[in-house]
Amino acid sequence: MNLCEDCALCCMDTEMPLSDKDIALILTFLKSEIKEEDFIEYKSEGLRQLKNKEGCCFFLDIKQKMCKIYDFRPTGCRFYPIVFDIENRKCIYDKDCPRTKLFHLPNKAYNTLCNQIKKFLMNELDVPI
Ligand code: SF4
């Protein structure tokens, strides 16, 4: 069962960052159906993130409230609802997700995932943490 069924709040007004690998994966699966500029928003700091269309992620099927690229969605979408709070330099369950209780991990798994998030930010997005 998809724990996110009938929600999709996290896919609205998304600011999900995209790495080179995320972009390459999406383009591999969608091949000629899509161009980079269709789904990438280029930020002034050189970062790239998912583009919104009518207030939702370009890849959200609004009627079904489902991700159209679920099997090859970006890394940050896979980590969610655990995110890195840059200001406080720690991983947290995103307060905007109304169902975080469904995703609670045991401490060891949480720490492992947090380390993966930090590595992703540092190595693939060049975010200093
Ligand atoms: S790629 Fe999929 S999971 Fe990620 S924000 Fe877009 S619709 Fe949501």
Side-chain angles (χ1 to χ4, degrees):
M1 186 185 107
N2 179 356
L3 296 175
C4 299
E5 227 164 279
D6 298 329
C7 177
L9 268 183
C10 59
C11 307
M12 295 175 188
D13 292 320
T14 183
E15 295 181 351
M16 192 58 77
L18 294 167
S19 68
D20 286 343
K21 285 183 192 167
D22 290 329
I23 293 166
L25 189 65
I26 291 169
L27 291 173
T28 298
F29 277 93
L30 295 181
K31 294 194 176 83
S32 55
E33 295 170 40
I34 200 167
K35 294 189 287 281
E36 288 190 20
E37 56 267 34
D38 293 335
F39 67 97
I40 300 173
E41 182 172 332
Y42 298 88
K43 306 302 288 181
S44 52
E45 315 87 62
L47 292 175
R48 293 157 299 172
Q49 66 184 44
L50 283 168
K51 193 180 260 188
N52 287 289
K53 191 177 163 191
E54 295 169 13
C56 303
C57 172
F58 177 82
F59 292 115
L60 182 69
D61 179 331
I62 299 172
K63 275 195 189 145
Q64 305 286 329
K65 293 190 176 172
M66 289 184 59
C67 176
K68 290 191 255 184
I69 60 163
Y70 191 78
D71 289 340
F72 46 97
R73 65 198 186 284
T75 312
C77 302
R78 294 168 188 272
F79 292 142
Y80 198 87
I82 298 175
V83 296
F84 191 76
D85 176 351
I86 300 259
E87 203 172 305
N88 295 304
R89 305 176 62 81
K90 63 176 188 177
C91 291
I92 55 169
Y93 288 97
D94 190 4
K95 60 178 175 17
D96 293 335
C97 174
R99 298 183 179 173
T100 51
K101 281 194 182 129
L102 296 174
F103 294 91
H104 266 256
L105 295 172
N107 280 350
K108 194 174 171 193
Y110 182 85
N111 291 335
T112 301
L113 189 64
C114 185
N115 285 332
Q116 289 172 0
I117 292 172
K118 288 189 219 168
K119 273 190 197 161
F120 172 69
L121 290 172
M122 287 188 295
N123 299 342
E124 297 193 35
L125 298 179
D126 288 328
V127 174
I129 59 170

